Amino acid sequence: WWGTCFRETLDMLLYHAELRGCDLDKDGYWICTFANTQHANAIPNFLKSGLRNSPFVKAIMGNTCVGTVMCMDQRASPFKRSWCTLEHFVTTKLCPQRGLKRSFEVASVIKEGSQKFHEWKDGVGVWSIYQKRTPTILSLDHKEAKVNIRDAKAFGLSFPARVGRAAMSANVAEAEATQPHDKEAILRF
């Protein structure tokens, strides 16, 4: 599922690569929207050989994978999509069970005018409306959560609360799939 605009997706992934010290000439991001055909009449039936053989699971459990970055829109829509919840499950539950260390990170964008930040004007601290758009990454590991915001000088900015609330209220059983049998297989997985 891809619900963020292309520009925001690139901003989030480039910021993620910067934080992780990725060499984009050597390191890559597997994006299912680009890796799998999206035409309904051409989508292979991943369920015939089992979900463990689907490109989603294979990519995350592959030797070159170090983690999953879930790019969020303001509604945290990926958590409402069955295939995305499968990717989350594989990264955070199945990989550790198999002794595979994978990070799980959530990327989002702070929208223009959506937050206030603290700045100094004429020697006085004031709160101002943040008038830029900037990517942010929420890194989740087994011990703690850490937020990184590209514009670190803008004190007071935070990971978008609306995205966090939407993600926390997501119900895997209510997640949707284009094909009902996909959702059933994912819920049984």
Side-chain angles (χ1 to χ4, degrees):
W1 183 84
W2 187 358
T4 57
C5 74
F6 188 67
R7 179 176 151 203
E8 287 184 358
T9 300
L10 285 179
D11 284 348
M12 288 184 273
L13 292 177
L14 289 171
Y15 180 51
H16 182 268
E18 176 186 321
L19 282 174
R20 300 295 160 250
C22 295
D23 179 349
L24 293 178
D25 289 329
K26 297 177 186 172
D27 303 320
Y29 287 84
W30 185 86
I31 302 173
C32 64
T33 303
F34 297 141
N36 297 319
T37 181
Q38 301 298 306
H39 300 287
N41 61 351
I43 294 176
N45 186 347
F46 300 133
L47 304 179
K48 287 181 183 174
S49 59
L51 285 176
R52 289 186 199 278
N53 292 315
S54 72
F56 307 96
V57 175
K58 282 182 171 182
I60 294 168
M61 295 186 78
N63 293 335
T64 60
C65 181
V66 296
T68 300
V69 182
M70 196 172 279
C71 295
M72 293 286 170
D73 61 4
Q74 296 299 301
R75 296 179 306 277
S77 297
F79 283 121
K80 297 172 185 154
R81 301 295 306 162
S82 295
W83 286 104
C84 297
T85 62
L86 173 70
E87 293 167 3
H88 177 259
F89 173 79
V90 170
T91 304
T92 62
K93 303 292 185 218
L94 190 59
C95 285
Q97 289 172 1
R98 299 282 165 85
L100 302 172
K101 185 174 177 167
R102 301 289 186 266
S103 64
F104 181 78
E105 297 173 288
V106 179
S108 189
V109 170
I110 296 172
K111 301 284 188 176
E112 300 94 336
S114 66
Q115 293 189 26
K116 291 183 179 181
F117 75 105
H118 191 265
E119 64 179 336
W120 293 95
K121 289 187 177 179
D122 301 322
V124 177
V126 296
W127 287 95
S128 301
I129 301 293
Y130 190 71
Q131 294 298 339
K132 299 178 191 173
R133 182 180 52 80
T134 192
T136 179
I137 307 288
L138 175 61
S139 301
L140 307 168
D141 68 22
H142 301 290
K143 297 176 187 160
E144 65 180 345
K146 180 178 180 187
V147 174
N148 290 287
I149 298 171
R150 174 170 276 156
D151 191 350
K153 294 177 190 170
F155 177 76
L157 294 179
S158 62
F159 189 84
R162 182 176 178 186
V163 175
R165 282 192 302 274
M168 293 300 293
S169 66
N171 182 338
V172 174
E174 294 175 3
E176 300 173 355
T178 305
Q179 301 296 323
H181 60 276
D182 288 359
K183 176 180 178 175
E184 293 167 14
I186 291 166
L187 288 173
R188 283 193 307 269
F189 188 75

